[in-house]
């Protein structure tokens, strides 16, 4: 069977902890979109691992696959693998031949375009990893795929076609000087070498074939979504989005496993008990109204460690946005949810959620399709009884019944609104600090 893990907000929902918890039962953990813009923190045996590209399951000795829907920076990939090896692990990572390669000019162009957009006030706040420019080349049919790295002649042909275009873009459109990132020979040498290393280490696979063989052999797969629903290129708040599909449909297109197979499995939406966001775009429930709000946001940010894993940027903070969750549950068809960071809200004087939006005097229960309309939404807040600070270690040991009653009411409400049961509750960063109610592999 398959279990798909999807971020239901804006990324940073703590997906890594659940992938790590349930990934123990999977044989293969597959990333189906994104690249080294992701930031997954996994705590295992008291050690903290911060991963941006290697699937989190690799920390637990699972086979990790980067599917065709991913964009792969080989430099990051090998850095992460080498760092894990340096810490005594032996990650088994496979990369689909159909995945696209992030090249240095993609990162350069990511930065250039962000600067250009900043001048017009439409900056996205990307992670600067070249994600968008790489997906652009994929769709523009001028990308370099992982399989191309294995054949030096094909690689040269691809580079000779595309690199002059990048040079012209940098120099003639943006009026800047192109550097080493547009040197075909240097790129060819470096990337052909990555191809050799990928092949030598047996990391290259036909993604769909590989996964089908594993399924046929009776293996269980976990699809590890990165980022979140509201930064999905199709279902997020465009243009403040990433360039891939973190939603569950992406698990099929980004891996080569059919939608009926993914759909027969479980799709678990990961929810942070409040909201955080790196990057630009509207955030109706943002805590930024007055000094009191800002103090509360600072408190939650510090307590929840809300600083970008990839970029270190402080995250914007808001109350849980329920219209966002209803939208996420529909787009991905959640069969269950996991709610993280419940402990961060403990001990507050007030706990609120954005139950609905008010737009043009009417109440709305989901997110408008355009960012401008979303920006016009005012939250309709609902207040909950706050729950006290407790010994979360004890709660973890005793299970769900030990979760404070007011917090359970909060969880029941969220579950009702999204129409999916709570499978797990995160009450701290470690794997043992997740209270499990339902194991999706047994659901
Ligand atoms: P990009 O993916 O680097 O192109 O960035 C596009 C948008 O997605 C920006 O708002 C980023 O901050 C956001 N983003 C990308 N990856 C993540 C993530 O893993 N967590 C949260 N936000 C992300």
């Amino acid at each position: 069977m398959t279990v798909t893990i999807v971020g239901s907000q804006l990324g940073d929902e703590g997906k890594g902890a659940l992938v790590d918890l349930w990934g123990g039962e999977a044989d293969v953990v597959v990333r189906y979109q994104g690249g080294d813009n992701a930031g997954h923190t996994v705590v295992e045996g008291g050690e903290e691992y911060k991963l941006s590209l290697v699937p989190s399951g690799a920390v637990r000795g699972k086979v990790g696959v980067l599917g065709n829907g991913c964009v792969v920076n080989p430099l990051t990939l090998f850095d992460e693998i080498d760092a894990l090896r340096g810490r005594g692990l032996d990650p088994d990572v496979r990369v689909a031949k159909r995945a696209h390669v992030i090249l240095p000019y993609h990162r350069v162009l990511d930065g250039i375009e962000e600067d250009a957009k900043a001048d017009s006030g439409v900056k996205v706040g990307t992670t600067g990893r070249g994600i968008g420019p790489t997906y652009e080349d994929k769709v523009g049919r001028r990308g370099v795929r992982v399989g191309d790295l294995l054949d030096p002649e094909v690689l040269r042909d691809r580079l000779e076609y595309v690199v002059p275009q990048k040079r012209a873009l940098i120099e003639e459109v943006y009026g800047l000087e192109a550097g080493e990132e547009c040197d075909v020979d240097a790129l060819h040498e470096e990337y052909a070498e990555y191809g050799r290393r990928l092949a030598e280490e047996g990391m290259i696979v036909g993604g769909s074939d590989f996964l089908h063989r594993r399924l046929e052999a009776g293996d269980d797969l976990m699809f590890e979504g990165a980022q979140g629903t509201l930064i999905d290129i199709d279902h997020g708040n465009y243009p403040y989005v990433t360039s891939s599909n973190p939603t569950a449909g992406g698990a099929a297109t980004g891996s080569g496993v059919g939608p009926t197979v993914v759909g027969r499995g479980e799709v678990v939406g990961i929810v942070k008990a409040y909201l955080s966001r790196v990057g630009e775009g509207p955030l109706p429930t943002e805590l930024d109204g007055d000094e009191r709000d800002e103090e509360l946001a600072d408190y939650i940010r510090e307590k929840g460690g809300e600083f970008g894993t990839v970029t270190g940027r402080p995250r914007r903070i808001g109350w849980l946005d329920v219209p966002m969750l209803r939208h996420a549950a529909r787009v991905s068809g959640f069969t269950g949810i996991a709610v993280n960071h419940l402990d961060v809200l403990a001990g507050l004087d007030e706990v609120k959620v954005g139950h609905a939006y008010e737009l043009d005097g009417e109440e709305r229960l989901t997110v408008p399709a355009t960012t401008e309309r979303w920006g016009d939404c005012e939250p309709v807040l609902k207040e909950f009884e706050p729950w006290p600070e407790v010994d979360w270690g004890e709660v973890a040991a005793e299970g769900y019944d030990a979760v404070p009653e007011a917090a359970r009411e909060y969880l029941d409400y969220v579950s009702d609104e999204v129409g999916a049961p709570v499978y797990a509750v995160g009450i701290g960063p470690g794997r043992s600090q997740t209270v499990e109610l339902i194991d999706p592999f047994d659901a």
Side-chain angles (χ1 to χ4, degrees), residues 19-68:
V19 172
D20 192 39
L21 174 70
W22 292 321
E25 285 161 76
D27 301 284
V28 184
V29 178
V30 187
R31 274 197 55 189
Y32 55 88
Q33 44 73 231
D36 56 348
N37 50 346
H40 289 178
T41 306
V42 180
V43 180
E44 165 75 13
E47 292 272 313
E48 192 174 89
Y49 299 91
K50 287 194 187 294
L51 300 171
S52 64
L53 187 58
V54 166
S56 309
V59 170
R60 300 202 65 196
K62 305 292 159 184
V63 180
V65 175
L66 296 172
N68 58 277

Side-chain angles (χ1 to χ4, degrees), residues 212-391:
H212 275 278
R213 276 199 303 276
R214 303 294 301 229
L215 281 167
E216 264 175 22
D219 280 355
D220 288 329
L221 307 189
M222 171 168 275
F223 291 106
E224 176 181 6
Q227 289 88 41
T229 305
L230 271 295
I231 52 174
D232 181 290
I233 185 77
D234 286 288
H235 303 289
N237 70 305
Y238 191 92
Y240 301 104
V241 291
T242 192
S243 300
S244 65
N245 289 120
T247 46
T253 52
S255 71
V257 173
T260 46
V261 178
V262 175
R264 274 198 298 275
E266 288 282 317
V267 178
V268 187
I270 313 302
V271 178
K272 187 184 275 185
Y274 49 89
L275 210 56
S276 72
R277 160 158 225 175
V278 279
E280 308 300 318
L283 207 56
T285 61
E286 185 163 13
L287 282 162
D288 65 348
D290 54 26
E291 213 175 295
R292 195 158 158 258
D293 276 359
E294 277 167 23
E295 270 172 28
L296 186 54
D298 284 343
Y299 173 82
I300 292 174
R301 185 179 300 114
E302 286 298 327
K303 191 170 174 194
E306 298 295 352
F307 298 88
T309 316
V310 174
T311 58
R313 289 180 285 182
R315 296 176 183 146
R316 297 157 66 195
I317 303 292
W319 293 121
L320 187 70
D321 185 317
V322 181
M324 192 185 272
L325 297 184
R326 293 187 193 100
H327 173 65
R330 288 175 190 176
V331 170
S332 287
F334 293 158
T335 54
I337 56 171
V339 183
N340 278 324
H341 279 31
L342 199 68
D343 53 311
V344 175
L345 297 185
L348 297 182
D349 295 335
E350 52 175 5
V351 172
K352 293 180 184 165
V353 301
H355 172 77
Y357 299 139
E358 197 186 297
L359 184 63
D360 301 335
E362 283 182 21
E363 199 171 274
R364 281 191 66 109
L365 291 174
T366 57
V367 179
T370 71
T371 295
E372 290 68 27
R373 295 293 280 161
W374 197 30
D376 291 338
C377 288
E378 287 297 327
V380 178
L381 295 172
K382 180 176 162 71
E383 198 156 348
F384 282 78
E385 194 185 317
W387 49 94
E389 195 60 84
V390 292
D391 181 340

